[in-house]
Amino acid sequence: MSRFAVLLLALLALPAGAAEERVIAALSQKAVGITATFTGSQIFVFGAVERARLPDARDDALSVIVTISGPRRAKVVRKKERVFGVWINTESVEIDEAPSFYAVAASGPLYEVLSHTEDLRHRISIDRAMRVVGEAGEAADPLEFQEAAIRLSRSAGVYTEADDGVEIIGRTLFQTSIGLPSNLVEGDYEARVFLLRDRQVLDRFATTLEVRKVGLERFLYTLAHERSLLYGLLSVLVALLAGWGASEATRLLRR
Amino acid sequence: MQIYLPIAELSVNAFVLLGMGGLIGMLSGMFGVGGGFLMTPLLIFIGIPPAVAVATGANQLVASSVSGVLGHLRRKTVDIKMGVVLSVGGAVGSVLGVWVFSLLRALGQVELLVSLCYVLFLGVVGGLMLNESVRALRRARAGGPAKPRKHHGWIHGLPLKMRFRVSKLYISAIPPFLVGVMVGLLAAIMGVGGGFIMVPAMIYLLGMPTAVVVGTSLFQIIFVTALTTLLHATQNQSVDAILALLLIFGGVIGAQVGAALGVRIRAEQLRILLALIVLAVCIKIALDLVLTPSEPFSFGEMR
């Protein structure tokens, strides 16, 4: 009888453990189509904390971080220096992996809700999302180049961060909105949601967002890459016809 | 109205592009220069990647040159024979130029070389033109007859003499061919049609009458830019059709306006104006080389 009671208590106590809090989320859309009139897009990310107990005061300390990352590409960062009075590119550093787009939104100031160790493990902040590994080139100070790459991407609007960008509603639900700029690159974008307490990641959730050119944009892009000679000839032909057409049009107008 | 460019992979205002095309087209119609030396820096300035700017600029120049040439053909101010000789030389020069370009790219510092080329050629050409046309204008004001241009004796000693009726010249085909090669070479390295070098070369080196220079230069530019467009489309996939269409639409209209304006302005004044524009671009590029940049870092091409 007493053994049965212990077992029952243990079973009841289990779901209350921290490990049993899970995060589930969804995006407002599964795909983004780039049309000729594409001017950017807003993606709503919303979700809930799943747990087998009622929310209580412990859950006031929960925080949520949402990131969206574009396809990763290698990039070269160059530095200009004055040589004989003229500014020329001298040093360069190859960045092995830089996301073409990166947005991070948190339910508070980033490093108040996230520890540096967890940041290193999950590569959440903008600094960590970009990776300079392998041979960093001949540069004396590779870090300076990474900082410059982030600065350039920020000013181009493709790297954004929003402290307090995630709203937590009633200890269970959360939502945020992340803006995608118009200069998007095609590919699979990864959306990640982290659930944290005491700056430690409790659970994570990931899903993909497909960004694709559609319609005319798709057609031209495919033609340019797969039938490039035909595309080139068509470009020249269109230019010749346009020039001839304009000339004829003005002649008719003058009559 | 924002429009997304499929190859450049960004969204820009369509009216800005139409306006830019119109402005460059006007210069093209007035002066017989393609305007590439203005178009390429302008496109890069509004954020178009340099490779796409160069390739698409060339495509746009095809259209504005055709539109301009047709206007000049009707006024019989195109020396087709001379244009063909120049174009043959130009084709040889472009192929040579593309080869030199890839060689220099392997050595690094292409960007610097292109800038220096711009400063040097725009500076020399602009300076010479300004000097010459100011003097011509003063002579005309003073009422004295303009001195007829004389050829250097050695040019007449060359073989392969041809009669260029429209230009009223009887000279060897070798100098125009060489001018074509030189312009094609520079055009491929600098990513422009080469009109701003071609026009003064035809006036001062070949001694062609100013009236036929513009039309003949445009005629030659069609071939050089069509070749450049094809080379870029097949090798780099960097021609953006939507960007080109918008620039073309603005450009062809501008070229007609320019051609109409050009016949109303005196040749000397036209040349002073062109010289000033050329010098302004030259000074801008020179300043960019010398002044401390606000951001010394930039993303480079993967090679």
Side-chain angles (χ1 to χ4, degrees), chain B residues 102-156:
Chain B
S102 51
L103 197 76
L104 287 166
R105 175 170 259 161
L107 297 173
Q109 302 301 344
V110 174
E111 204 184 311
L112 175 70
L113 178 96
V114 171
S115 293
L116 287 178
C117 262
Y118 264 98
V119 172
L120 182 70
F121 283 96
L122 292 176
V124 168
V125 165
L128 284 176
M129 276 172 74
L130 188 66
N131 183 27
E132 211 276 347
S133 31
V134 166
R135 259 197 252 157
L137 202 64
R138 277 203 196 127
R139 262 203 312 270
R141 287 234 174 97
K147 266 185 275 173
R149 250 180 237 109
K150 273 186 192 159
H151 283 296
H152 303 291
W154 61 271
I155 283 188
H156 283 286

Side-chain angles (χ1 to χ4, degrees), chain B residues 5 36 49 60 81 86 91 96 98 101 112 116 163 187 196-197 223 238 252 258 261 265 302:
Chain B
L5 307 173
Q60 186 263 332
K81 202 170 173 185
L86 288 169
L96 215 64
V98 169
F101 192 79
L112 175 70
L116 287 178
R163 190 170 297 282
F196 72 96
I197 304 168
F223 291 94
S238 52
V252 288
L261 279 177
I265 304 175
M302 278 300 293

Side-chain angles (χ1 to χ4, degrees), chain A residues 73-85:
Chain A
R73 287 178 178 178
K75 277 190 165 179
V76 175
V77 181
R78 298 185 193 285
K79 185 188 182 184
K80 279 196 169 71
E81 272 169 332
R82 186 171 256 161
V83 179
F84 301 117

